[in-house]
Amino acid sequence: MDYILESFQSETGGLKNNEIAKYGTYRTKNLVLAEYDRRAAAGVSLETPLILIGEMKGNRES
């Protein structure tokens, strides 16, 4: 995940440096990791998604 978050950088700073300057921490990384942990604790994974694709399509047609 670090690779993905690090890709939002530029020569003038970027997301990570801007958030550290503004909030004193890399806020986006903390929020993403907290959500990942919350979903993992609830048992959500690629094998057990929160919404099944077939159910999602069925709801759109209703």
Side-chain angles (χ1 to χ4, degrees):
M1 185 172 87
D2 283 336
Y3 171 77
I4 295 168
L5 290 172
E6 293 296 325
S7 67
F8 293 100
Q9 303 305 310
S10 68
E11 292 178 8
T12 59
L15 181 65
K16 179 180 179 179
N17 294 334
N18 291 340
E19 287 189 355
I20 291 172
K22 185 173 183 177
Y23 303 111
T25 186
Y26 192 178
R27 186 172 175 259
T28 297
K29 181 178 181 178
N30 295 338
L31 291 171
V32 168
L33 289 174
E35 182 61 20
Y36 179 84
D37 290 343
R38 186 183 73 84
R39 290 178 182 218
V44 177
S45 70
L46 292 175
E47 292 78 28
T48 56
L50 188 59
I51 298 174
L52 298 176
I53 300 300
E55 291 177 4
M56 188 170 63
K57 289 179 181 177
N59 289 337
R60 287 183 184 173
E61 294 173 5
S62 301

